[in-house]
Amino acid sequence: MQEAFALTREPNWVLHHEGYSLLSESALESRFALANGFLGMRAARAISRGPTWLSWLGYIKWASWPRCYVAGLFDRPNTVPPVPALVPVADWSRVRILLNGDPLLLSDGEMIAGMRSLDLRRAVLLSELTDRRPSGITGTGCEMRLVSMADRALGLQLLRFSLDRDGIDVRLEANFGMSGLGMEPLRLEPDLGAWHAEGTGESVAMAGAATLRAGGELLLPERPFSLRWVWSWRSVAGQQIEFDRIVAVARGDERDADPGPAAAMALARGRALGWRGVLAAHEAAWGQRWRAADVVVEGDDAVQRALRFAVYHLTSAANPDDETVSVGARALTGDAYFGHVFWDTEIYLLPFYTAVWPEAARAMLTYRFRTLPAARAKAARMGFKGALYAWESADTGEETTPERVMGPDGAMIDILTGQMELHISADVAYAVWQYWRATGDDEFFVAAGAEILLETARFWASRAVMEADGKRHIRHVIGPDEYHEDVDDNAFTNVMGRWNIARALEAIEALRARWPDRAVTLFEKLSLSDDEITDWRDAAERIVTGLDPATGIYEQFAGYDQREPLDLSQYADRKVPIDVVIGRERTQRSQVVKQADVVALMALLPDEFPGAMAEANFRHYEPRTAHGSSLSAGMHALVAARLGDADMALRFLHHAAAADLELDPNSAGGIRIAGLGGVWQAVVLGFAGLDISGETIGIAPRLPPEWRSVSFSVRWRGRPVQVRITAATVRVIVPDGQPMDVRIAGGIRKVDAGAPLEVSLKQATASP
Ligand code: IFM
């Protein structure tokens, strides 16, 4: 078994953490979490761990937060407000060891060594522990855990340890820890348990098998309870104990579904392979993912590590085989935001999946297609046509944003985003369009994408109301800058809405020209008339954008320029968000921007910022932005890189990378996956200048001088393309198929399959 614990020596492929600190444990558990898009597991230690309380101010604050999640398993708990939430399932990694009857606890022993390592390449969590008991007995061991990328139903845990004494009575209990609140047991059998969520009736079954060997001899366990194994033996100093546990999980989506047989079958698959086979298949599947998605930066180890960390979590979050779920704001690594899906997915994550894992992108967009009825219902409830997606979405697509939450001072705060943060509909449409452009997946477009584009465009046309000034206004909204609520004509919202309508009009043309039968059935289904299409054109022409033709600057929303200017450099040393420093009311009265808003628009729609407009808008909004969200820095890095400001772009990139890579306490509720998507975008779309939205794939690099090269692969229109960029050259390989046109720094080059093309950047820019 020892070989399974071998740790890579390559520093850019592994994260280490030594010790156990009550203050940072929860953030560490998020950062080192394991997931495969179906199962998620925080990196809580299996042995001798919390929960441990840190404070007692009317509540217990847990240091360790051992949690396992199953994507799409939501409950509607009996809380006020009744916000649907991802429910944790039984924690299958729990191990309890008793020596002469005394449990091995964190609180009374001496931890001589306690390293946890996350091997990013193999996607395994490795822990080492050397612990001296008050009695002087010392145990040394290591644990390995994974959730399989090859068979997403499976998890694996290996444990190997020894004691330094003979004759100790040892008892090892392998448990499935408590299941989530509100999970009712349906049946509990020796090797299988099934539970359902009280509110939704969604169910889960978990099956397990475990073995233990002492000095190579198989020991038989007692089975006192379902999914519990207990072994007892007398220790021999130095004897190796080897434990393995395979678990299998299945979800039942219908109220009376029984996922038990699916879990039992998955367990049988795992047992047939054995732990070595499960491990080998998992490593092979990750090897394939890394070949498709790795980005190699020579000359900047910090960025390299940040990218690997980002690609690791982005890959862990997705499941191309499940179209009923999407990625929540904290993926499957923590409870914050209840597992809800935000615009984060379409705007911050989809560019990655579309470029390197289109099957995963398609599954996430299909989730939006499946939740289109709920988006239609939301628009109708608010008195509008078309589809308004939920700002926070769970299993059904209904709006799940809590209407009120308790603020830090105990007062209740109304949350308006669920009613006012409308840009989500254009964000979904944006991701659909980009996916279609980059993949050429006409089947998806015809079956699902076009309908999303039309229904979201219809929403914008009905929401943009003609007023006495002859313009169409979108009032009472919240833009990405959530510090400013209930504003009129947010530039991001309006320009994205207008763009959404324009793409829908293009989609109509494409349907009529290429799929006329589908055009007829779809327009009939949607009761879409020529008059309505004419109204969309009118809306697109008349929507207020806030663009000042004199300066070329978009006003973020109507009246923004009249708000109080605030010199943020005066608050540069603050450790908390600006709204905490100056108060919510003053923040709202000021020009301070929470996160990329007009800057996000620049990142998404660069063509809306021709010539000097890009620079002018960036220089206007960058100093006004307080980065009160982890979504902000990556967007700024991307835009600064495109503008050629490598210094500023690098500063923002390091800032974005630090959010979860450093132990920021805000990661306790889960990693901020959108920020990690932002890291990938800043490097690949920003510094490398990849563009997969046009009729040809484009690369327009602007590397920082200290980087020697950047290499990555993408899939464009179904074909792999490998790219390596240095300060002076771009090298492109198209492994097979027809010759491919590639736009390099503006000039079109033909790349023959299998024949690398190397272009000097000086020449490329000289001959566009
Ligand atoms: O979607 C974001 C939002 O833009 C800022 N607050 C956090 C949300 C979830 O990440």
Side-chain angles (χ1 to χ4, degrees):
M1 186 181 270
Q2 199 165 1
E3 69 282 5
F5 300 99
L7 192 54
T8 173
R9 301 214 172 278
E10 296 168 90
N12 290 336
W13 280 104
V14 69
L15 306 181
H16 297 292
H17 182 83
E18 176 64 44
Y20 183 96
S21 152
L22 298 183
L23 292 171
S24 57
E25 178 62 14
S26 205
L28 177 81
E29 290 173 358
S30 306
R31 182 185 176 215
F32 281 35
L34 299 167
N36 61 17
F38 175 61
L39 302 178
M41 176 173 236
R42 288 167 58 78
R45 288 149 42 112
I47 311 169
S48 177
R49 62 164 180 231
T52 312
W53 63 86
L54 288 175
S55 63
W56 194 299
L57 295 170
Y59 61 91
I60 289 172
K61 186 158 182 190
W62 304 107
S64 171
W65 194 239
R67 279 286 182 269
C68 296
Y69 307 97
V70 172
L73 186 69
F74 284 94
D75 196 14
R76 280 179 184 67
N78 182 18
T79 54
V80 180
V83 179
L86 201 59
V87 266
V89 298
D91 168 13
W92 51 269
S93 70
R94 193 83 202 270
V95 174
R96 210 165 161 249
I97 296 179
L98 294 94
L99 304 178
N100 288 335
D102 292 331
L104 205 150
L105 298 176
L106 174 76
S107 45
D108 63 3
E110 181 193 350
M111 190 194 287
I112 295 168
M115 174 80 93
R116 257 168 295 177
S117 307
L118 180 68
D119 185 328
L120 301 169
R121 196 201 297 269
R122 299 168 64 212
V124 296
L125 175 69
L126 295 159
S127 313
E128 293 165 14
L129 181 66
T130 303
D131 180 273
R132 189 183 296 127
R133 303 279 76 217
S135 60
I137 306 168
T138 302
T140 301
C142 42
E143 190 219 351
M144 194 222 70
R145 225 183 291 166
L146 62 85
V147 291
S148 172
M149 185 55 93
D151 185 341
R152 289 188 167 79
L154 297 180
L156 173 69
Q157 180 184 35
L158 304 177
L159 193 65
R160 189 167 191 270
F161 71 97
S162 63
L163 299 177
D164 67 345
R165 306 275 162 98
D166 288 334
I168 310 293
D169 284 327
V170 189
R171 179 181 163 95
L172 185 145
E173 301 174 358
N175 302 330
F176 273 51
M178 61 165 188
S179 58
L181 297 176
M183 291 297 280
E184 290 182 325
L186 291 176
R187 61 180 157 122
L188 296 171
E189 297 164 10
D191 296 339
L192 188 139
W195 296 261
H196 77 180
E198 277 176 353
T200 57
E202 289 168 16
S203 53
V204 68
M206 303 178 83
T211 63
L212 184 135
R213 287 186 162 74
E217 291 285 310
L218 200 60
L219 301 191
L220 286 183
E222 291 168 51
R223 300 298 309 274
F225 194 68
S226 171
L227 296 169
R228 177 171 295 184
W229 297 258
V230 178
W231 289 269
S232 306
W233 70 96
R234 178 138 312 170
S235 75
V236 174
Q239 184 183 58
Q240 287 300 331
I241 307 300
E242 294 187 332
F243 163 83
D244 66 87
R245 165 158 50 183
I246 299 178
V247 299
V249 184
R251 189 186 69 214
D253 295 335
E254 308 303 327
R255 197 157 257 281
D256 294 317
D258 178 6
M265 268 165 58
L267 184 66
R269 288 198 299 275
R271 291 184 81 166
L273 284 177
W275 70 257
R276 285 184 181 79
V278 171
L279 175 60
H282 167 76
E283 288 177 350
W286 265 95
Q288 211 180 342
R289 290 290 2 121
W290 279 115
R291 279 191 292 285
D294 193 20
V295 182
V296 178
V297 172
E298 289 181 307
D300 191 334
D301 275 356
V303 166
Q304 179 65 80
R305 283 164 65 75
L307 275 165
R308 290 260 163 75
F309 181 70
V311 171
Y312 165 80
H313 276 297
L314 289 162
T315 304
S316 301
N319 180 0
D321 299 327
D322 192 350
E323 297 175 339
T324 66
V325 302
S326 188
V327 180
R330 303 299 180 102
L332 293 171
T333 69
D335 297 328
Y337 294 115
F338 311 104
H340 295 173
V341 181
F342 293 70
W343 73 312
D344 306 30
T345 312
E346 280 70 25
I347 297 302
Y348 290 81
L349 312 186
L350 256 295
F352 167 82
Y353 297 121
T354 296
V356 304
W357 201 1
E359 297 81 3
R362 181 182 169 133
M364 287 169 212
L365 293 173
T366 306
Y367 161 84
R368 291 300 193 180
F369 182 63
R370 295 171 74 109
T371 53
L372 192 54
R376 283 191 186 106
K378 180 177 171 188
R381 219 175 28 253
M382 294 173 79
F384 300 101
K385 291 164 112 182
L388 171 57
Y389 278 97
W391 175 245
E392 296 187 29
S393 183
D395 46 354
T396 63
E398 282 156 47
E399 184 56 74
T400 57
T401 307
E403 285 168 13
R404 317 179 80 199
V405 294
M406 191 181 287
D409 57 358
M412 294 308 286
I413 302 173
D414 291 331
I415 303 289
L416 302 177
T417 49
Q419 299 149 47
M420 292 190 178
E421 202 150 353
L422 312 179
H423 63 83
I424 177 72
S425 268
D427 304 330
V428 172
Y430 182 85
V432 165
W433 186 263
Q434 299 299 330
Y435 170 80
W436 184 42
R437 299 295 296 157
T439 60
D441 183 351
D442 292 338
E443 193 188 299
F444 172 81
F445 173 77
V446 170
E451 193 167 336
I452 294 177
L453 287 162
L454 299 189
E455 285 290 66
T456 47
R458 174 178 255 173
F459 166 73
W460 292 114
S462 78
R463 186 63 173 76
V465 178
M466 174 83 107
E467 295 191 5
D469 59 0
K471 303 258 185 255
R472 294 177 72 146
H473 294 266
I474 304 181
R475 299 194 183 274
H476 307 296
V477 302
I478 299 175
D481 165 22
E482 294 165 338
Y483 286 159
H484 295 100
E485 297 176 326
D486 197 0
V487 299
D488 295 334
D489 291 324
N490 165 251
F492 181 93
T493 306
N494 291 20
V495 176
M496 287 291 286
R498 181 177 72 175
W499 179 93
N500 189 163
I501 296 174
R503 297 296 78 76
L505 293 170
E506 268 188 62
I508 289 172
E509 292 309 311
L511 284 169
R512 282 181 173 149
R514 296 175 59 195
W515 301 281
D517 292 348
R518 171 65 178 153
V520 171
T521 53
L522 183 59
F523 300 166
E524 259 175 33
K525 175 182 171 191
L526 302 181
S527 307
L528 183 61
S529 66
D530 286 346
D531 284 352
E532 190 173 356
I533 295 172
T534 306
D535 178 58
W536 292 6
R537 283 206 185 86
D538 180 76
E541 274 163 26
R542 291 172 192 264
I543 282 181
V544 171
T545 64
L547 176 65
D548 177 350
T551 59
I553 292 175
Y554 286 96
E555 187 179 25
Q556 190 182 288
F557 54 82
Y560 171 87
D561 292 346
Q562 276 71 58
R563 305 266 167 140
E564 178 199 348
L566 200 76
D567 180 3
L568 281 174
S569 65
Q570 308 252 336
Y571 302 88
D573 294 336
R574 69 182 192 278
K575 297 274 179 281
V576 290
I578 191 73
D579 56 331
V580 176
V581 180
I582 64 171
R584 199 159 171 250
E585 281 72 31
R586 182 155 177 228
T587 308
Q588 288 174 336
R589 286 197 312 270
S590 78
Q591 288 184 3
V592 65
V593 179
K594 177 181 178 186
Q595 64 194 77
D597 190 304
V598 173
V599 170
L601 189 60
M602 294 176 69
L604 302 186
L605 301 180
D607 292 349
E608 301 284 349
F609 296 79
M613 272 178 70
E615 188 78 30
N617 279 274
F618 187 71
R619 299 298 166 204
H620 187 73
Y621 285 105
E622 184 277 320
R624 290 169 167 78
T625 306
H627 308 291
S629 153
S630 57
L631 277 63
S632 194
M635 278 285 185
H636 279 75
L638 160 60
V639 173
R642 282 189 183 151
L643 288 173
D645 188 340
D647 280 353
M648 185 177 275
L650 265 186
R651 237 179 308 125
F652 278 121
L653 176 57
H654 286 288
H655 176 154
D660 286 316
L661 197 50
E662 311 294 326
L663 282 183
D664 175 342
N666 288 323
S667 327
I671 50 119
R672 276 78 53 92
I673 189 86
L676 299 179
V679 167
W680 182 88
Q681 290 193 42
V683 174
V684 177
L685 308 185
F687 288 114
L690 175 72
D691 174 15
I692 50 176
S693 65
E695 273 312 309
T696 49
I697 178 171
I699 299 150
R702 297 160 203 89
L703 298 196
E706 51 273 58
W707 292 11
R708 292 196 301 283
S709 70
V710 177
S711 311
F712 58 91
S713 295
V714 298
R715 240 185 312 145
W716 189 75
R717 305 262 163 117
R719 300 174 63 190
V721 180
Q722 295 156 11
V723 180
R724 179 177 152 84
I725 301 165
T726 67
T729 57
V730 174
R731 188 171 198 264
V732 179
I733 301 177
V734 178
D736 41 46
Q738 295 297 309
M740 184 187 285
D741 282 344
V742 179
R743 238 177 322 121
I744 299 179
I748 303 269
R749 305 293 170 130
K750 197 170 281 307
V751 187
D752 290 319
L757 173 81
E758 186 155 302
V759 176
S760 147
L761 282 170
K762 277 198 195 121
Q763 283 168 17
T765 36
S767 58

